Short mmCIF file of all heavy atoms in Angstrom, two decimals:
data_model
loop_
_atom_site.label_atom_id
_atom_site.label_comp_id
_atom_site.label_asym_id
_atom_site.label_seq_id
_atom_site.Cartn_x
_atom_site.Cartn_y
_atom_site.Cartn_z
N LEU A 126 15.91 33.91 -12.60
CA LEU A 126 15.37 33.28 -13.80
C LEU A 126 15.01 31.82 -13.62
O LEU A 126 14.06 31.31 -14.21
CB LEU A 126 16.36 33.40 -14.96
CG LEU A 126 16.86 34.81 -15.30
CD1 LEU A 126 17.88 34.74 -16.43
CD2 LEU A 126 15.70 35.73 -15.68
N GLY A 127 15.80 31.12 -12.80
CA GLY A 127 15.62 29.67 -12.65
C GLY A 127 16.87 28.95 -13.13
O GLY A 127 17.80 29.59 -13.66
N THR A 128 16.89 27.65 -12.96
CA THR A 128 18.09 26.88 -13.34
C THR A 128 17.72 25.48 -13.79
O THR A 128 16.63 24.98 -13.44
CB THR A 128 19.07 26.84 -12.13
OG1 THR A 128 20.27 26.25 -12.54
CG2 THR A 128 18.48 26.08 -10.95
N SER A 129 18.61 24.85 -14.55
CA SER A 129 18.39 23.47 -14.98
C SER A 129 18.94 22.53 -13.94
O SER A 129 20.08 22.65 -13.50
CB SER A 129 19.09 23.23 -16.33
OG SER A 129 18.49 23.99 -17.34
N ILE A 130 18.10 21.59 -13.55
CA ILE A 130 18.47 20.61 -12.52
C ILE A 130 18.41 19.21 -13.11
O ILE A 130 17.48 18.87 -13.83
CB ILE A 130 17.55 20.72 -11.28
CG1 ILE A 130 17.74 22.08 -10.58
CG2 ILE A 130 17.78 19.59 -10.28
CD1 ILE A 130 16.72 22.41 -9.53
N PHE A 131 19.42 18.40 -12.78
CA PHE A 131 19.46 17.03 -13.33
C PHE A 131 18.49 16.13 -12.55
O PHE A 131 18.56 16.02 -11.32
CB PHE A 131 20.90 16.48 -13.23
CG PHE A 131 21.06 15.15 -13.92
CD1 PHE A 131 21.04 15.07 -15.32
CD2 PHE A 131 21.24 13.98 -13.19
CE1 PHE A 131 21.18 13.85 -15.95
CE2 PHE A 131 21.37 12.76 -13.82
CZ PHE A 131 21.37 12.71 -15.23
N ASN A 132 17.58 15.51 -13.29
CA ASN A 132 16.61 14.60 -12.68
C ASN A 132 17.15 13.17 -12.79
O ASN A 132 17.33 12.62 -13.87
CB ASN A 132 15.27 14.72 -13.43
CG ASN A 132 14.16 13.95 -12.74
OD1 ASN A 132 14.38 12.90 -12.16
ND2 ASN A 132 12.95 14.48 -12.83
N LEU A 133 17.42 12.55 -11.63
CA LEU A 133 18.00 11.21 -11.59
C LEU A 133 17.05 10.15 -12.15
O LEU A 133 17.49 9.15 -12.74
CB LEU A 133 18.41 10.84 -10.17
CG LEU A 133 19.64 11.61 -9.60
CD1 LEU A 133 19.77 11.40 -8.12
CD2 LEU A 133 20.91 11.18 -10.33
N LYS A 134 15.75 10.37 -11.98
CA LYS A 134 14.76 9.39 -12.44
C LYS A 134 14.72 9.30 -13.97
O LYS A 134 14.67 8.24 -14.57
CB LYS A 134 13.36 9.74 -11.92
CG LYS A 134 13.18 9.44 -10.45
CD LYS A 134 11.77 9.77 -9.99
CE LYS A 134 11.64 9.53 -8.50
NZ LYS A 134 10.31 9.97 -8.00
N THR A 135 14.71 10.49 -14.60
CA THR A 135 14.60 10.52 -16.07
C THR A 135 15.97 10.63 -16.76
O THR A 135 16.07 10.52 -17.97
CB THR A 135 13.74 11.70 -16.53
OG1 THR A 135 14.33 12.93 -16.06
CG2 THR A 135 12.32 11.60 -15.98
N SER A 136 17.03 10.87 -15.96
CA SER A 136 18.39 11.08 -16.49
C SER A 136 18.42 12.23 -17.50
O SER A 136 19.14 12.20 -18.48
CB SER A 136 18.93 9.80 -17.17
OG SER A 136 19.02 8.78 -16.22
N GLU A 137 17.61 13.23 -17.22
CA GLU A 137 17.57 14.43 -18.07
C GLU A 137 17.56 15.68 -17.21
O GLU A 137 17.18 15.65 -16.04
CB GLU A 137 16.30 14.42 -18.97
CG GLU A 137 16.35 13.43 -20.09
CD GLU A 137 15.07 13.46 -20.93
OE1 GLU A 137 14.12 14.14 -20.52
OE2 GLU A 137 15.05 12.80 -21.98
N PHE A 138 17.98 16.78 -17.85
CA PHE A 138 17.93 18.05 -17.14
C PHE A 138 16.53 18.65 -17.24
O PHE A 138 15.92 18.63 -18.29
CB PHE A 138 18.94 19.05 -17.74
CG PHE A 138 20.35 18.84 -17.27
CD1 PHE A 138 21.27 18.08 -18.02
CD2 PHE A 138 20.76 19.36 -16.05
CE1 PHE A 138 22.57 17.87 -17.57
CE2 PHE A 138 22.06 19.16 -15.59
CZ PHE A 138 22.95 18.42 -16.34
N GLU A 139 16.05 19.15 -16.11
CA GLU A 139 14.73 19.79 -16.05
C GLU A 139 14.93 21.24 -15.64
O GLU A 139 15.74 21.54 -14.78
CB GLU A 139 13.84 19.10 -15.00
CG GLU A 139 13.17 17.85 -15.52
CD GLU A 139 12.29 17.22 -14.43
OE1 GLU A 139 12.02 17.90 -13.41
OE2 GLU A 139 11.91 16.05 -14.60
N PHE A 140 14.14 22.11 -16.26
CA PHE A 140 14.24 23.53 -15.92
C PHE A 140 13.31 23.85 -14.76
O PHE A 140 12.13 23.62 -14.81
CB PHE A 140 13.89 24.40 -17.13
CG PHE A 140 13.99 25.89 -16.82
CD1 PHE A 140 15.19 26.46 -16.48
CD2 PHE A 140 12.85 26.69 -16.87
CE1 PHE A 140 15.28 27.83 -16.19
CE2 PHE A 140 12.92 28.05 -16.58
CZ PHE A 140 14.14 28.61 -16.24
N LYS A 141 13.91 24.37 -13.68
CA LYS A 141 13.14 24.79 -12.51
C LYS A 141 12.98 26.30 -12.58
O LYS A 141 13.94 27.04 -12.52
CB LYS A 141 13.86 24.37 -11.23
CG LYS A 141 13.06 24.63 -9.97
CD LYS A 141 13.72 23.97 -8.79
CE LYS A 141 13.16 24.43 -7.45
NZ LYS A 141 11.72 24.54 -7.34
N LYS A 142 11.73 26.74 -12.76
CA LYS A 142 11.46 28.18 -12.95
C LYS A 142 11.77 29.00 -11.70
O LYS A 142 11.50 28.57 -10.58
CB LYS A 142 10.00 28.38 -13.34
CG LYS A 142 9.66 27.85 -14.73
CD LYS A 142 8.19 28.04 -15.04
CE LYS A 142 7.88 27.57 -16.47
NZ LYS A 142 6.46 27.71 -16.78
N GLY A 143 12.29 30.21 -11.94
CA GLY A 143 12.60 31.15 -10.86
C GLY A 143 11.41 32.06 -10.57
O GLY A 143 10.39 31.97 -11.23
N PRO A 144 11.59 32.96 -9.61
CA PRO A 144 10.47 33.83 -9.20
C PRO A 144 10.03 34.83 -10.28
O PRO A 144 8.96 35.43 -10.14
CB PRO A 144 11.02 34.57 -7.97
CG PRO A 144 12.49 34.45 -8.07
CD PRO A 144 12.78 33.16 -8.76
N ILE A 145 10.82 35.01 -11.34
CA ILE A 145 10.43 35.94 -12.40
C ILE A 145 9.21 35.39 -13.16
O ILE A 145 8.49 36.18 -13.80
CB ILE A 145 11.62 36.18 -13.38
CG1 ILE A 145 11.43 37.48 -14.19
CG2 ILE A 145 11.83 35.02 -14.34
CD1 ILE A 145 11.72 38.73 -13.44
N PHE A 146 8.94 34.10 -13.04
CA PHE A 146 7.79 33.51 -13.75
C PHE A 146 6.50 33.77 -12.95
O PHE A 146 6.00 32.92 -12.23
CB PHE A 146 8.00 32.00 -13.95
CG PHE A 146 8.93 31.68 -15.07
CD1 PHE A 146 10.30 31.64 -14.85
CD2 PHE A 146 8.45 31.43 -16.34
CE1 PHE A 146 11.16 31.36 -15.89
CE2 PHE A 146 9.31 31.16 -17.39
CZ PHE A 146 10.68 31.11 -17.17
N SER A 147 6.05 35.01 -13.06
CA SER A 147 4.81 35.42 -12.40
C SER A 147 4.25 36.56 -13.21
O SER A 147 4.79 36.92 -14.26
CB SER A 147 5.09 35.83 -10.95
OG SER A 147 3.89 35.92 -10.22
N ASN A 148 3.15 37.15 -12.75
CA ASN A 148 2.54 38.27 -13.49
C ASN A 148 3.08 39.61 -13.06
O ASN A 148 3.38 40.46 -13.89
CB ASN A 148 1.01 38.26 -13.33
CG ASN A 148 0.39 37.00 -13.88
OD1 ASN A 148 -0.13 36.19 -13.11
ND2 ASN A 148 0.45 36.79 -15.18
N MET A 149 3.15 39.81 -11.75
CA MET A 149 3.65 41.07 -11.23
C MET A 149 4.86 40.79 -10.35
O MET A 149 4.79 40.02 -9.41
CB MET A 149 2.58 41.79 -10.44
CG MET A 149 2.97 43.19 -10.06
SD MET A 149 1.60 44.21 -9.59
CE MET A 149 0.91 44.66 -11.15
N ILE A 150 5.98 41.43 -10.72
CA ILE A 150 7.24 41.20 -10.01
C ILE A 150 7.64 42.46 -9.29
O ILE A 150 7.77 43.52 -9.91
CB ILE A 150 8.37 40.80 -11.01
CG1 ILE A 150 7.89 39.82 -12.06
CG2 ILE A 150 9.61 40.29 -10.26
CD1 ILE A 150 7.46 38.48 -11.59
N LEU A 151 7.80 42.38 -7.99
CA LEU A 151 8.31 43.50 -7.21
C LEU A 151 9.79 43.24 -6.92
O LEU A 151 10.13 42.26 -6.25
CB LEU A 151 7.52 43.67 -5.91
CG LEU A 151 8.09 44.65 -4.90
CD1 LEU A 151 8.24 46.05 -5.46
CD2 LEU A 151 7.27 44.69 -3.63
N ILE A 152 10.66 44.07 -7.46
CA ILE A 152 12.10 43.95 -7.19
C ILE A 152 12.46 45.06 -6.21
O ILE A 152 12.42 46.25 -6.55
CB ILE A 152 12.93 44.08 -8.48
CG1 ILE A 152 12.61 42.91 -9.41
CG2 ILE A 152 14.41 44.12 -8.17
CD1 ILE A 152 13.26 42.98 -10.76
N ASP A 153 12.78 44.66 -5.01
CA ASP A 153 13.11 45.63 -3.96
C ASP A 153 14.60 45.98 -4.04
O ASP A 153 15.45 45.08 -4.06
CB ASP A 153 12.79 45.02 -2.58
CG ASP A 153 11.95 45.96 -1.75
OD1 ASP A 153 11.79 47.12 -2.17
OD2 ASP A 153 11.46 45.55 -0.69
N GLU A 154 14.89 47.27 -4.09
CA GLU A 154 16.26 47.80 -4.15
C GLU A 154 17.04 47.16 -5.29
O GLU A 154 18.04 46.44 -5.07
CB GLU A 154 16.95 47.61 -2.79
CG GLU A 154 16.26 48.38 -1.69
CD GLU A 154 17.13 48.60 -0.47
OE1 GLU A 154 17.91 49.57 -0.50
OE2 GLU A 154 17.05 47.83 0.48
#
C-alpha cells in the first residue's frame, strides 16, 4: 500500500505510495 515517511525539510509526514497505485496489478502467488 505504501507508508508515511517523515520529511526532515518540511517536518511533516509524507505518504509514499506503494506498488498498488497503478492500473493493472499482477500479484504472483
